[in-house]
Amino acid sequence: MKILVLGGHGFVGRNVADVLRELRHEVTSLSRRDGLDLTDYESTEKHITDITPDLIVNCAAEVGSLNYVSMKAADIFDVNMRMLLNLYKAVKVGTPDAVIFNPVANCAFPGISEKYTESNLWDGSVHQSVFAYGNTRRMMIVLSETYSTQYGLRSINFFVPNMYGPYDSTDPNKAHALNALIGKVVKAQREGLGQLEVWGSGGAIREWLYAPDCARIFLQTAERLDEYGWDEPINIGQNYGLSVRELINIIVREARYEGAIVWNRSMPDGAPKKVMDDTRFHKQFPGFIFTDLVAGIRETIRYYESIYPF
Ligand SMILES: NC(=O)c1ccc[n+]([C@@H]2O[C@H](COP(=O)([O-])OP(=O)(O)OC[C@H]3O[C@@H](n4cnc5c(N)ncnc54)[C@H](OP(=O)(O)O)[C@@H]3O)[C@@H](O)[C@H]2O)c1
């Protein structure tokens, strides 16, 4: 199968491309650094038409920390909407039989919900801390549905919790929550820092997905496209959350950091709790075994140790 991974040099895209290549699919990774600019329609159409993939895994986005997406709210909305609008239009023109996989960040769900169920997506506004980015993620669902209705384009949408694992950016504005914590602790341990500041109160509860697990789910889906059940969005859910404080305890222990953790409560926590209902996931992926959180954190610590200093 000819697969195009958009944003294939980013955190999620690189994990996805690695796993898809293992199974000898013909995988092309494209992102800004290859000359593709999804904010530009001509560039988007040219690259899509040149490759004419059977499957597009859409891991391209302009995204970063909570602070980054709030400070740059207008740019985040503008750039991400243009990328999505150009992508769908170019697929319609250049490769209308291709299937598009969208990893939709779970910040698309209503900010007040504690448990995210696919059918409750529209039951309230996204959390204020992710107003711009979360609304662009909702538009992935709108684009999928409207392009399906009018042009017959096929998209498969996965709601995805926060991910962690290898290959994330080490830029503090860009690194994702758990990876940023792991990177900070590894750095502090290597540099023998006596104390380490962590933003927020530590009380926010989140569900965490090991990025290579997300990649394995995409691979399984790619190989079962003819089956039923892909028309509705699916949570990649485990219905299991852990507080940031509990996570820090695991990281500190696994990285053998001996300094103190200081919580900077002046920084926002974001939504208090986010866990994903896993009912539909179990129907669609019976028997799928997620990587144990401690084992995944251990692997990610090894990754950060291997790229130190960063
Ligand atoms: N990370 C998570 O925890 C998580 C969780 C749930 C869902 N997701 C979703 O997964 C997707 C990818 O996230 P990520 O964490 O992998 O982000 P990331 O590490 O920042 O990667 C984004 C990728 O998009 C590319 N890109 C940005 N602007 C572009 C443009 N104008 N034209 C072409 N490519 C462009 C980047 O290119 P360069 O590398 O060349 O700069 C990069 O490869 C997003 O939709 C995100 O919401 C992520």
Side-chain angles (χ1 to χ4, degrees):
M1 187 185 299
K2 225 187 325 172
I3 304 177
L4 171 60
V5 182
L6 294 172
H9 301 294
F11 167 45
V12 179
R14 211 171 142 195
N15 277 288
V16 167
D18 269 10
V19 168
L20 293 174
R21 277 198 189 99
E22 272 172 28
L23 264 281
R24 303 193 205 301
H25 286 293
E26 190 189 326
V27 179
T28 307
S29 290
L30 278 185
S31 70
R32 263 181 305 219
R33 69 191 72 176
D34 304 300
L36 165 67
D37 181 2
L38 288 164
T39 64
D40 178 86
Y41 180 71
E42 271 156 30
S43 168
T44 308
E45 188 190 306
K46 180 187 176 308
H47 283 89
I48 298 274
T49 309
D50 282 355
I51 297 171
T52 54
D54 306 304
L55 170 63
I56 298 171
V57 187
N58 178 20
C59 300
E62 175 61 22
V63 61
S65 64
L66 268 186
N67 195 40
Y68 182 80
V69 297
S70 313
M71 299 305 290
K72 297 180 79 95
D75 292 347
I76 288 288
F77 191 77
D78 175 90
V79 168
N80 283 294
M81 283 315 304
R82 281 192 289 135
M83 288 166 71
L84 289 171
L85 292 166
N86 287 338
L87 172 63
Y88 270 82
K89 188 171 163 189
V91 172
K92 178 199 77 180
V93 171
T95 184
D97 293 328
V99 179
I100 304 172
F101 285 5
N102 287 313
V104 183
N106 69 356
C107 61
F109 279 101
I112 51 159
S113 310
E114 294 208 333
K115 188 163 174 179
Y116 295 161
T117 304
E118 294 91 336
S119 55
N120 294 345
L121 179 72
W122 300 102
D123 291 353
S125 171
V126 304
H127 195 268
Q128 197 57 31
S129 61
V130 287
F131 187 76
Y133 191 64
N135 275 305
T136 68
R137 300 307 87 183
R138 285 186 165 191
M139 291 306 119
M140 291 168 121
I141 306 296
V142 175
L143 276 164
S144 304
E145 285 194 25
T146 52
Y147 270 84
S148 166
T149 305
Q150 189 175 349
Y151 299 112
L153 248 59
R154 189 171 174 209
S155 306
I156 301 182
N157 293 304
F158 300 87
F159 290 120
V160 189
N162 293 287
M163 281 189 252
Y164 70 100
Y167 306 145
D168 200 1
S169 168
T170 51
D171 174 347
N173 277 325
K174 291 281 186 166
H176 296 83
L178 180 47
N179 284 337
L181 285 176
I182 294 174
K184 269 179 144 190
V185 175
V186 167
K187 207 168 176 186
Q189 195 272 344
R190 287 289 171 104
E191 293 170 6
L193 288 189
Q195 65 175 46
L196 180 64
E197 180 182 285
V198 180
W199 287 3
S201 71
I205 293 172
R206 293 287 181 276
E207 181 160 327
W208 303 97
L209 174 67
Y210 191 46
D213 287 355
C214 179
R216 287 194 293 128
I217 288 161
F218 287 173
L219 175 65
Q220 288 193 12
T221 309
E223 298 190 333
R224 295 167 44 204
L225 288 176
D226 293 339
E227 294 180 15
Y228 292 103
W230 305 120
D231 289 348
E232 296 293 325
I234 302 165
N235 282 349
I236 301 186
Q238 300 169 68
N239 193 13
Y240 173 67
L242 220 65
S243 73
V244 177
R245 193 173 289 277
E246 288 170 295
L247 282 171
I248 274 284
N249 290 339
I250 298 173
I251 301 165
V252 162
R253 196 179 62 234
E254 293 295 328
R256 297 175 304 281
Y257 175 61
E258 290 176 354
I261 299 295
V262 179
W263 297 94
N264 179 350
R265 290 168 193 273
S266 67
M267 298 309 285
D269 279 335
K273 184 172 179 187
K274 290 184 179 184
V275 292
M276 314 279 288
D277 184 272
D278 58 352
T279 314
R280 195 175 286 170
F281 180 82
H282 284 304
K283 269 197 203 128
Q284 207 64 18
F285 296 94
F288 185 88
I289 297 174
F290 287 96
T291 301
D292 168 72
L293 184 68
V294 177
I297 288 178
R298 209 173 282 146
E299 283 303 310
T300 310
I301 289 172
R302 280 198 197 113
Y303 168 74
Y304 278 97
E305 286 173 343
S306 76
I307 60 163
Y308 182 84
F310 44 88

